[in-house]
Every structure is written in C-alpha cells, then in structure tokens.
Amino acid sequence: MSFCYSASSSLTATNATNAARDKANSQKLFPFMTTRNSVTHHHRKNESVLRTNHGQRKRAILQASSNNNNSSNNNNGFSLSKLTSVLRKKTEQDFLRVQNGTKKTREKLSLMDEILGLWRLDDLDDLLDDLEDTLISVDFGPKTAETALNEIRERVSLGKIKTGKDCKRALKEIIVKILIEEGGDPTKMVVSNDEKIPTCVLIIGVNGGGKTTTIGKLSNWYKNAGAKVMMVPGDTFRAAAAEQLQTWADRTGAIMSKSPPNTKPGAVSYKAVDEAIAMGDIDVILADTSGRLHTNLDLMDELVGVKNAIKKREPSMPHEVLLVLDGTTGLNMLNQAREFGKQLGVTGIILTKLDGTARGGAVISVVDDMKIPVKFVGVGESMEDLQVFEPKSFVDALFPDDDE
C-alpha cells in the first residue's frame, strides 16, 4: 500500500515535471502556440473587443445614415435645380441616340449636300429654290423654309455667304436660332413652389401618339432627379390602359393613385391630387388622359374638364401641360398642336417616334408656329430613348458637317 502510494506520487511528480518541461520547450520552439485556456481567454477578450468595436461602428453608421438622410432631404431631394441639372446632363450615348433616331430624315436631307456642291452665284435663285424644296420634303413647312431661305439670301447679299459650305453653316445657325428664340430653353420645367404641393404634369394628345409610354419614360427622368412620382390612370376609355401604366410604375419605382372603377376622368384626377397632397411625400404627379381627336369638340371639352378638376382641387395645378405628338404625322400635327394649345394652354411638346420617320423637319415647324418649346423627343423604344430636346445637337444630327 505504502509502495503503491509512493510509486504513484513519484510518477505524478515525474509527469508534472515532464509536462512543465515540455510546455517550456514547446513555447521556446513555437512561441505562437498557447494553451487552450489561454486561447479561450484570448478569444473571449477579442470577442469583447470586437463587440465593443462593432457597437461603436454600428452607432457611427446609424449616425452617418441619419445625417445622410437629413442631408438628402435638405440638399439631395427633388428640386428644380436638380431636375434642370439632370435634364441638361448629356452623354455621348445620348447624342448617338438622337443621331440614330434622325437617320431617315438625315438621309433625305443628304440631297442638300449635292445641291450646295453646285454652288454658283450665277444660279443662286435656282439653287435656293431647290434647297427650299429639300427642306419642305422633310416637313420643315413652307413658312419655316421660306423664313430660313430669306435669311440666307440676305447674308449672300451682304457677302457673308460665298460658298456652299458657308450656306450650310448659316442654315444650321438660322434653324438653331429659330428653335432657341421661338421655343426657349426645353430644360426649364415648371415645378411647384410650395413644398407641401406636388408638381403636377398633365399629359395630353391624340390616340396612338404614345402618351402612356411617354409617361413611363418621363417618370424615369423625374426619378433620376430624386422625385417620388405618382401616376394617375386618367385614360378611362382604352382597355388595359391602367395595367400598362402600372407596368411602367413598377419599372420606374412610381406609385399608382387609387382609381375606383367606372369613375369619370375628371374625378380620377381630382381624387389623385387629393391623395398625393394627403400623402405628403409625393413630389410629382404624372396625369394620363384618354387620347382624342382635336376635331371632336365633346371630347376636347371633357379634357378641359379634367384640367379644371385638377385646378379645382389645387389652383396652382397643373404646372405643365405637355402635348404628345406623333412625329410620323409630320406637318399634320400642326393642326393638332394649335387646337390643343388653344383649348388647354400647352406649355411644351413631346415629339415621339422620330426614329420611324423622314419627316423630322416638323420639329422646327412646330416650334416656329406654336412659339412653345419641344421638351423631349422620342427616338426609340427603350426608356433612355426619350431624350431632352437640345436644339444644337438635333440640328447637328440633321445636318452633319462634311467631315463627320
């Protein structure tokens, strides 16, 4: 018994000594290794530090997020200056879209280069008559073409135009001048001056002009300017119009106003304005309407009633009345524009489907006749193909320089 105890004690002591020696040697050979207890303690300590740091970081992130949100509300939300900045921002891709969208018109105008290549002062009258015919062929309109050519004749008489290239350069300057002086700045969109009142844009036009699609694309522009958009399904006649508008709302992050079935167009718009004001966070209301011929007096009266219903709910509305015109109709759109303008006080024009026509000169005729700006032009099917109308780039696309 005594022997067993002593042996056991001796063995235990020996093992302890060996373990201590092994530990010491191990730490000398592998100083980065530690015991399990040490690892656990170290791990828990690190966990504590990490939790503390994570908590500090989280609080800092939340604070920064709060600051950013406040900053966004104060400085980066929807505003006239931000909308103007977005509308004026043009990229190389945007210029290419306009250039591609005016291809058919440009090809027809290429005859002008052949005419100007035969430039001789002896045959000036015949040459300018041919040039005028070329402009009219792409729906510049007799009045606009005559205005431009009279200016050309005057510059020739003053010795400012001596070659065909001079004539082309002068013609481009004259057309840009018409678009800017008669139409004004297309990027100047009217917005509400009252923070509690949303900006209301009423979209009107004839059947098949592309109003609903244009509203969807407009929503994308306003969204890029930081606006929260509400769409109003005011086209109560066309089947599936509301569903089409809902699809665009989903694509652009807009919301749809609540529209009870079998509601008259004026009531739909009135209730939408009321809803938007009550919500308090809507920046822009895009109100769709049913397409109608400008010659149908009853339907035109109904459209006037829609505008009046909006104005009855909020006297400052609508802030913009944009007329959507189908570019493929060419000069036929002028009568539409005149009648809609007379009845509803159109503030701007959106010209769609220019990519499908060789009648792009109608853009200049509409501005020259109506004295209101073309705000946007549609040059394709994609959302980005609704382009802000920029006079100089548009004219450059129609009349490219010889070296382009």
Side-chain angles (χ1 to χ4, degrees):
M1 194 71 177
S2 173
F3 171 77
C4 290
Y5 174 79
S6 298
S8 176
S9 300
S10 175
L11 183 60
T12 300
T14 301
N15 288 341
T17 302
N18 291 339
R21 185 180 64 249
D22 291 343
K23 177 182 177 182
N25 290 336
S26 176
Q27 288 178 338
K28 288 179 181 178
L29 291 171
F30 308 106
F32 55 86
M33 294 180 64
T34 58
T35 64
R36 182 174 180 179
N37 287 339
S38 176
V39 170
T40 302
H41 174 74
H42 181 69
H43 178 67
R44 288 174 178 168
K45 183 178 180 182
N46 283 346
E47 270 191 337
S48 176
V49 171
L50 287 172
R51 280 196 299 269
T52 302
N53 290 342
H54 176 72
Q56 291 172 344
R57 283 198 300 272
K58 186 175 181 181
R59 285 192 294 273
I61 290 171
L62 288 173
Q63 182 63 40
S65 176
S66 175
N67 291 339
N68 287 339
N69 287 338
N70 292 336
S71 175
S72 176
N73 292 334
N74 294 333
N75 301 318
N76 299 323
F78 177 67
S79 66
L80 175 60
S81 60
K82 187 167 185 179
L83 176 62
T84 302
S85 176
V86 168
L87 294 177
R88 286 180 176 172
K89 184 179 180 181
K90 302 289 283 185
T91 65
E92 184 177 353
Q93 192 64 32
D94 293 328
F95 288 118
L96 288 175
R97 287 192 178 96
V98 173
Q99 189 173 39
N100 293 335
T102 53
K103 180 180 178 182
K104 292 184 178 181
T105 302
R106 182 169 58 254
E107 288 175 348
K108 203 165 184 179
L109 281 171
S110 63
L111 178 62
M112 190 179 75
D113 290 328
E114 297 179 22
I115 295 172
L116 293 178
L118 302 174
W119 179 274
R120 289 202 314 270
L121 291 179
D122 295 343
D123 299 325
L124 182 63
D125 288 337
D126 290 340
L127 186 145
L128 292 182
D129 286 343
D130 290 341
L131 190 58
E132 185 173 357
D133 290 341
T134 303
L135 294 177
I136 292 174
S137 73
V138 294
D139 278 22
F140 262 74
K143 175 177 174 291
T144 304
E146 183 181 6
T147 299
L149 268 298
N150 285 341
E151 177 70 19
I152 292 291
R153 288 186 176 90
E154 183 177 350
R155 294 191 186 191
V156 170
S157 66
L158 294 173
K160 296 180 179 180
I161 296 176
K162 298 179 180 179
T163 66
K165 286 187 177 181
D166 290 343
C167 182
K168 184 176 182 179
R169 190 179 304 112
L171 182 61
K172 290 173 66 173
E173 290 174 0
I174 292 166
I175 295 171
V176 170
K177 182 180 177 183
I178 290 173
L179 291 171
I180 292 176
E181 290 190 356
E182 302 295 349
D185 186 352
T187 65
K188 288 185 177 179
M189 299 284 283
V190 180
V191 300
S192 172
N193 291 324
D194 189 336
E195 293 181 357
K196 297 179 181 179
I197 303 297
T199 297
C200 180
V201 182
L202 181 64
I203 309 297
I204 60 176
V206 302
N207 312 64
K211 292 186 304 302
T212 304
T213 300
T214 297
I215 286 176
K217 295 177 180 180
L218 273 178
S219 176
N220 189 56
W221 275 103
Y222 280 106
K223 181 189 73 173
N224 291 338
K228 183 173 181 180
V229 177
M230 172 184 281
M231 295 184 182
V232 183
D235 186 349
T236 58
F237 291 105
R238 185 167 62 90
E243 288 81 359
Q244 183 185 0
L245 201 64
Q246 180 67 64
T247 300
W248 278 106
D250 295 339
R251 288 181 63 183
T252 61
I255 67 170
M256 286 278 283
S257 65
K258 298 172 183 177
S259 178
N262 303 319
T263 306
K264 292 184 178 180
V268 170
S269 298
Y270 182 97
K271 291 178 180 179
V273 172
D274 192 55
E275 179 186 354
I277 293 174
M279 288 178 67
D281 62 346
I282 299 298
D283 297 303
V284 177
I285 301 169
L286 297 179
D288 194 10
T289 58
S290 302
R292 63 205 68 219
L293 292 175
H294 58 288
T295 54
N296 190 318
L297 298 181
D298 289 340
L299 291 180
M300 289 298 288
D301 287 343
E302 181 187 72
L303 189 56
V304 172
V306 171
K307 181 181 178 182
N308 290 339
I310 293 173
K311 190 172 286 294
K312 181 178 180 181
R313 176 57 186 86
E314 173 47 51
S316 67
M317 294 183 181
H319 300 91
E320 291 274 9
V321 179
L322 300 183
L323 173 62
V324 177
L325 294 173
D326 183 346
T328 61
T329 62
L331 281 179
N332 293 330
M333 71 178 72
L334 269 179
N335 287 332
Q336 300 173 22
R338 289 166 183 159
E339 193 60 34
F340 277 105
K342 182 171 68 175
Q343 296 286 341
L344 290 126
V346 173
T347 61
I349 291 171
I350 300 176
L351 214 51
T352 62
K353 307 179 186 180
L354 276 185
D355 55 312
T357 182
R359 308 170 81 176
V363 174
I364 294 94
S365 295
V366 168
V367 173
D368 192 28
D369 188 271
M370 295 290 296
K371 314 301 181 189
I372 56 177
V374 173
K375 301 277 190 177
F376 295 89
V377 289
V379 291
E381 295 295 327
S382 74
M383 195 179 303
E384 294 76 19
D385 286 330
L386 183 68
Q387 287 289 307
V388 174
F389 183 69
E390 202 285 307
K392 188 176 185 307
S393 62
F394 180 77
V395 173
D396 285 341
L398 293 184
F399 306 96
D401 292 335
D402 297 334
D403 57 348
E404 289 183 1

